[in-house]
Amino acid sequence: MKVVLLVILVVVVGLFVVVEIGLRSLFGFGNPLIYIGDEQIGYLLAPNQRTRRFGNRIEINEYSMRSSPLQKTPAPSRLRVLLLGDSIANGGWWTDQTNTISTIMMRSLASSTNSNYQEVEVLNASANSWGPRNELAYLEKFSNFNAHVVVLLINTDDLFATPPTSLPVGRDRNYPDSKPLLALVEVWQRYIAKQQPIPEMKAVQNEAGDRVGINLEAIGKIQALTRQTNSQFLLVMTPLLREIGVPGPRDYEINARQRLNDFTRAKQINYIDFLPIFNSTTNPQGLYHDHIHLNLEGNKFVSIVMERSLLEILGDVPLPQNY
């Protein structure tokens, strides 16, 4: 009887080890990206992280960017673009580091015959569910890293984004603040255990006042900060998948979009609205990973359009003096 129990124990332990190793090596469980709270930004990815999720490489540098390590001041012959955004810019677990919008743009700009720079760098400062106020706070804390152009990539929902808060960090399963002991523990916490509510989030989500106006004001402040450093500014907005085609955006979204259009004209902001661009393509649904995020083809499509605008803008940007 003791021998049978011992055999059973060995089999159970062996299965446990095999499953644990498989979850780590095949899917990257046990080594999730972790977040840190910030009084102004709300939260950001903890600096200096590397992991693989579902085979996709993810690297976070010392400034919480989904980018390689960098020098805060670029070399004189280097073109630097700073991309600010949410999970669409970040790419999440479903996007390899080489397939993010920023990396695709960097490769394309570097090989462009129209580029007058020896090197090109596109920095990716982004995090899931950031809105204009998070992105403004990041810019205020870290500066624009002497970027020639600052690109703010938002989606329609960001016009209604709530204020920055650190409440989800360590309490929402999508914003862990520490590594789990085991990959199995992460699978349990993320996919099986019930998410515990965060009661304090109600006050944040029910923010009073003109939320669209507040977010437009934040966009205006981002533009103002770029002007202070003689940088150029490009605003880009991607639509939700349900906005494409008929019936199109909902009434409150149409109103917010019109306000954004009026705002960009009044502020003379370079602005790309991808809703009409996507509507003019043959298969816009094929550009999406889900209802809001883009897949690799979507990232490539958006990068091409953004690159064209950047090259137009860069026509007004002088070369470094010692180029």
Side-chain angles (χ1 to χ4, degrees):
M1 186 67 175
K2 291 183 178 179
V3 173
V4 174
L5 290 176
L6 180 61
V7 170
I8 293 173
L9 178 61
V10 170
V11 170
V12 170
V13 172
L15 286 174
F16 177 88
V17 172
V18 169
V19 172
E20 177 70 18
I21 293 174
L23 289 173
R24 286 183 177 274
S25 60
L26 297 177
F27 305 105
F29 289 116
N31 187 29
L33 292 175
I34 61 174
Y35 290 78
I36 55 175
D38 184 273
E39 188 174 347
Q40 284 75 40
I41 302 171
Y43 58 85
L44 63 166
L45 287 156
N48 302 311
Q49 300 186 73
R50 287 186 178 184
T51 188
R52 281 187 180 272
R53 302 293 279 187
F54 296 90
N56 295 312
R57 182 175 62 89
I58 302 173
E59 180 178 355
I60 308 300
N61 70 11
E62 66 271 39
Y63 295 105
S64 297
M65 300 176 178
R66 189 167 183 183
S67 300
S68 300
L70 61 91
Q71 295 179 344
K72 193 158 187 179
T73 301
S77 60
R78 177 176 296 173
L79 168 65
R80 175 170 285 180
V81 177
L82 173 62
L83 175 65
L84 295 167
D86 58 9
S87 52
I88 295 174
N90 186 273
W93 58 263
W94 60 91
T95 309
D96 188 83
Q97 194 86 0
T98 59
N99 295 329
T100 60
I101 291 173
S102 54
T103 304
I104 294 171
M105 285 177 55
M106 184 163 58
R107 286 197 302 265
S108 183
L109 284 168
S111 62
S112 172
T113 56
N114 295 322
S115 177
N116 294 318
Y117 294 86
Q118 293 177 336
E119 299 175 274
V120 177
E121 191 174 39
V122 182
L123 310 179
N124 187 333
S126 58
N128 294 347
S129 298
W130 269 6
R133 284 177 277 182
N134 302 90
E135 291 136 1
L136 170 63
Y138 181 94
L139 200 59
E140 289 175 332
K141 179 169 184 173
F142 292 105
S143 80
N144 67 7
F145 299 90
N146 300 105
H148 295 82
V149 185
V150 174
V151 180
L152 176 61
L153 174 58
I154 64 174
N155 69 83
T156 309
D157 277 350
D158 290 335
L159 296 175
F160 311 95
T162 53
T165 177
S166 60
L167 287 173
V169 178
R171 300 172 69 181
D172 186 307
R173 67 182 67 183
N174 296 307
Y175 301 91
D177 60 355
S178 61
K179 305 284 187 183
L181 181 63
L182 300 168
L184 283 163
V185 171
E186 184 186 355
V187 172
W188 171 266
Q189 293 174 338
R190 187 174 289 268
Y191 298 107
I192 301 174
K194 184 179 179 181
Q195 171 67 56
Q196 296 300 312
I198 306 175
E200 304 95 315
M201 284 296 296
K202 289 184 178 180
V204 177
Q205 295 165 347
N206 295 329
E207 177 189 23
D210 178 13
R211 194 179 296 174
V212 173
I214 294 172
N215 285 308
L216 291 179
E217 181 182 2
I219 294 172
K221 289 180 179 179
I222 292 174
Q223 180 199 27
L225 286 176
T226 62
R227 285 182 171 176
Q228 288 176 10
T229 57
N230 295 319
S231 303
Q232 302 294 312
F233 179 54
L234 174 63
L235 175 65
V236 180
M237 187 166 76
T238 58
L240 307 175
L241 179 56
R242 64 167 172 75
E243 292 185 273
I244 299 173
V246 179
R250 296 168 180 169
D251 289 344
Y252 68 91
E253 292 166 338
I254 293 174
N255 178 63
R257 283 178 162 277
Q258 185 58 55
R259 291 182 64 182
L260 177 60
N261 286 333
D262 295 341
F263 180 81
T264 55
R265 283 195 294 268
K267 294 287 186 178
Q268 297 182 323
I269 294 174
N270 296 299
Y271 172 49
I272 303 174
D273 180 3
F274 271 97
L275 179 57
I277 299 173
F278 281 6
N279 272 326
S280 66
T281 63
T282 55
N283 181 30
Q285 291 77 13
L287 303 174
Y288 280 81
H289 168 75
D290 54 28
H291 74 287
I292 186 171
H293 302 106
L294 303 172
N295 58 23
L296 176 56
E297 292 306 310
N299 284 351
K300 290 179 178 177
F301 185 97
V302 166
S303 298
I304 290 171
V305 177
M306 289 170 61
E307 180 188 351
R308 291 172 184 164
S309 291
L310 282 174
L311 290 174
E312 291 179 6
I313 292 171
L314 289 169
D316 296 327
V317 178
L319 288 171
Q321 292 182 358
N322 58 344
Y323 174 77

